[in-house]
Amino acid sequence: MGFDPQLFAVKPCSEFLCTVCSEVLDKPMCVCQEGHTFCKACISRWLEKQQTCPTCRCAISQASLRPSRIVETLIGALDVCCHHSAKPNDDDGAHSSVCDSTSGQACAEEPAAKRQRMDNGCSWMGALRDLDGHLQSCGFVPDPCPLGCGASVQRRKLEEHSMCCPKRRVECEHCHEGMPYESLEEHVAQLCPMYLVPCTQKCGQTMPRKQLSAHLSADCPLQPVDCLFMAQGCTVRPRRQSLLQHLSNSAVEHSMLSAERLQELMTDMMGRIDALSKRNAELEESMTELRKSHKHLRNSHKELERLLTESARSDTFNVTWRITGVKGLVDAKQCIYSETLPIASACGGMYLTLSFQTDEDNIEWIGCYLSHTADCGKTHKIAGSSISFVLQSGNITETFDDGTKISGPGEGWSDFCKVAWLLEDDGWRLSGDDELQVELKLRLDDRHYHVNTYLPI
């Protein structure tokens, strides 16, 4: 597309017109040997459809296009008006051409009066090549309102528009709050706290809007108020100036309402007292049960302390040791040790030991010993203590003599029981299936030993 012919101060000659778009050439391109010239954009679109010159129909291509610098320079020197001016050209062709088609010489310039711009348009006139630079500063170019009201305003009138734009910032004359002009009317009519408003009860007073609520709640003589006997049931809301008259005229009714209300409160209070009494009785009963439970627990605690004390001071202790897999132990002939017994002394704990061996006569024996876990260098009397093997047909028991004392290595019997004694005709006489139960009754010196109830059995 080219330049609009109406843009030019003098009507351009026909040689400067593009035959494709019928407008003044923009970036003219020579396309053939005949010198036919067209707008660059117009001929490029033309070649997308056909490869011939639009005028002479000779074959052309994109490669054959050549810029016409002379024509471009001549057109660039033509005088044009601003896009935002009143156009001097008319449509009857009365104006003479810039170029004479016969001689090619420029015609005389139009009289100065013809160049005068109308008041509603830009008066700028200059060479086409300077038009873009002028438009950068032209005051007649419309720009969007910088305040955001949506209006399109000529640059020269932006300051004038800023004085009447609905988005301009203004200050409320009453409260001095800043806001857009378009919000001022609503602000004054409904929101401004300092705007003087009349009392809504029409008492004749005016005041800032922010004081109206306080006026109605405390001062306005025409504001309806609650009767002082509202809590007793009075539903009348006289005006503030008539409240005393209402109280005087309705004294009897108020007395009756007060009596009825008092009766209701008394009834409610008695009900609450009855409920609290029942609850108190339930709590007293619960407290009695709790006292009984507390007394029982205290007695149980004392009894438990007594039993623990007696147990700690007792010099006889019973321990049971169950051994499984006895047949394999006999065949392997290896010693086995019990866990530490639940009895502690000043030199450590105690444990039981079973041994399996064969004597010189080839008799298999089971030995049993009682030992300390550490050698403290002291001996302790265990006279009267006994060890028993519990069997199906009876027990095998050995008792430590009166003079027996235990030291670090331990005391016991290497020939406690023959392996043959555990046999019957068809099997073992053990207390359980391949299980031997060993029972220890231990009498200890109270000066050196005590029960440790936290050691595992």
Side-chain angles (χ1 to χ4, degrees):
M1 297 295 288
F3 298 104
D4 183 0
Q6 296 294 323
L7 182 66
F8 292 82
V10 178
K11 184 176 182 179
C13 61
S14 59
E15 284 76 4
F16 288 162
L17 299 180
C18 174
T19 58
V20 176
C21 64
S22 301
E23 294 185 338
V24 178
L25 292 165
D26 180 21
K27 296 181 179 62
M29 303 293 290
C30 183
V31 301
C32 64
Q33 301 261 344
E34 299 296 328
H36 296 138
T37 306
F38 308 93
C39 297
K40 182 178 181 179
C42 294
I43 194 63
S44 296
R45 286 197 300 271
W46 176 275
L47 289 174
E48 292 175 359
K49 298 179 180 179
Q50 45 192 320
Q51 302 292 314
T52 59
C53 174
T55 301
C56 64
R57 302 301 176 182
C58 68
I60 62 173
S61 65
Q62 190 74 32
S64 66
L65 303 182
R66 303 185 307 278
S68 181
R69 304 298 184 190
I70 296 177
V71 175
E72 184 175 11
T73 302
L74 291 173
I75 294 175
L78 297 179
D79 285 340
V80 295
C81 302
C82 177
H83 287 304
H84 306 286
S85 66
K87 305 299 187 296
N89 287 341
D90 51 27
D91 295 333
D92 59 5
H95 301 288
S96 61
S97 300
V98 172
C99 298
D100 189 324
S101 60
T102 302
S103 62
Q105 298 297 320
C107 300
E109 293 184 357
E110 294 289 336
K114 295 290 187 178
R115 289 169 167 265
Q116 297 299 317
R117 303 297 93 193
M118 298 177 63
D119 291 341
N120 62 345
C122 178
S123 61
W124 181 87
M125 181 185 294
L128 175 63
R129 58 177 170 267
D130 299 328
L131 178 60
D132 289 340
H134 163 71
L135 291 176
Q136 296 295 323
S137 58
C138 179
F140 286 85
V141 175
D143 283 340
C145 173
L147 299 177
C149 71
S152 182
V153 186
Q154 290 180 351
R155 289 173 181 165
R156 65 192 181 97
K157 294 185 177 181
L158 281 176
E159 184 176 356
E160 178 184 347
H161 172 74
S162 66
M163 302 300 294
C164 61
C165 177
K167 294 287 186 181
R168 68 186 186 275
R169 297 294 294 182
V170 296
E171 183 180 277
C172 174
E173 62 179 332
H174 306 288
C175 67
H176 307 292
E177 180 182 349
M179 66 198 69
Y181 176 79
E182 61 186 1
S183 303
L184 180 61
E185 183 177 357
E186 179 184 3
H187 169 77
V188 172
Q190 301 180 19
L191 304 174
C192 180
M194 299 305 296
Y195 182 70
L196 294 179
V197 296
C199 174
T200 56
Q201 296 298 330
K202 300 180 181 180
C203 72
Q205 297 188 41
T206 59
M207 66 216 70
R209 181 177 281 117
K210 68 178 183 178
Q211 297 178 6
L212 179 59
S213 177
H215 168 73
L216 293 175
S217 62
D219 299 326
C220 180
L222 300 183
Q223 172 70 12
V225 295
D226 293 329
C227 175
L228 299 181
F229 289 88
M230 181 186 66
Q232 284 71 34
C234 181
T235 58
V236 179
R237 298 188 80 241
R239 295 183 183 275
R240 182 174 280 108
Q241 65 183 6
S242 304
L243 179 59
L244 294 179
Q245 185 65 38
H246 165 70
L247 294 175
S248 176
N249 295 340
S250 304
V252 176
E253 290 83 353
H254 290 162
S255 298
M256 294 177 63
L257 289 173
S258 299
E260 292 175 359
R261 181 58 179 162
L262 181 60
Q263 183 61 41
E264 292 176 0
L265 291 175
M266 289 295 294
T267 302
D268 181 68
M269 186 63 66
M270 293 304 297
R272 290 174 178 269
I273 290 174
D274 290 341
L276 289 174
S277 298
K278 292 180 181 179
R279 179 58 178 164
N280 186 60
E282 293 174 356
L283 292 175
E284 286 289 345
E285 184 177 352
S286 299
M287 287 297 296
T288 301
E289 292 297 325
L290 288 174
R291 291 189 186 96
K292 292 180 180 178
S293 299
H294 179 262
K295 183 178 181 181
H296 175 71
L297 290 174
R298 185 172 58 186
N299 293 336
S300 299
H301 179 70
K302 289 181 178 180
E303 179 64 17
L304 181 60
E305 287 182 341
R306 185 187 63 80
L307 293 175
L308 288 174
T309 301
E310 292 180 356
S311 176
R313 292 178 177 177
S314 174
D315 59 356
T316 302
F317 305 97
N318 297 323
V319 179
T320 299
W321 179 25
R322 290 183 172 84
I323 306 167
T324 58
V326 176
K327 298 176 183 178
L329 295 174
V330 171
D331 294 338
K333 291 183 173 55
Q334 64 182 30
C335 293
I336 183 172
Y337 307 93
S338 73
E339 295 182 0
T340 302
L341 304 180
I343 303 166
S345 72
C347 56
M350 305 178 71
Y351 63 94
L352 289 169
T353 304
L354 290 187
S355 63
F356 301 89
Q357 63 275 337
T358 303
D359 63 9
E360 57 186 10
D361 297 326
N362 203 29
I363 299 176
E364 293 181 329
W365 291 90
I366 299 177
C368 186
Y369 306 91
L370 177 63
S371 304
H372 271 303
T373 57
D375 187 359
C376 63
K378 296 182 180 180
T379 59
H380 303 283
K381 296 178 180 180
I382 56 172
S385 300
S386 63
I387 300 177
S388 301
F389 283 6
V390 180
L391 306 175
Q392 292 181 3
S393 58
N395 297 345
I396 299 175
T397 303
E398 293 288 349
T399 302
F400 291 98
D401 297 335
D402 291 341
T404 305
K405 298 180 181 179
I406 185 170
S407 59
E411 293 291 336
W413 300 267
S414 60
D415 54 353
F416 186 88
C417 172
K418 287 183 179 180
V419 173
W421 294 350
L422 304 180
L423 297 176
E424 288 186 339
D425 295 339
D426 57 351
W428 295 75
R429 298 171 58 201
L430 301 174
S431 58
D433 185 14
D434 200 15
E435 178 184 271
L436 175 61
Q437 179 174 316
V438 180
E439 290 186 352
L440 170 65
K441 291 184 179 181
L442 185 61
R443 296 178 61 86
L444 298 175
D445 187 345
D446 187 48
R447 294 173 298 172
H448 301 285
Y449 292 88
H450 64 275
V451 176
N452 188 341
T453 57
Y454 297 95
L455 293 174
I457 296 177

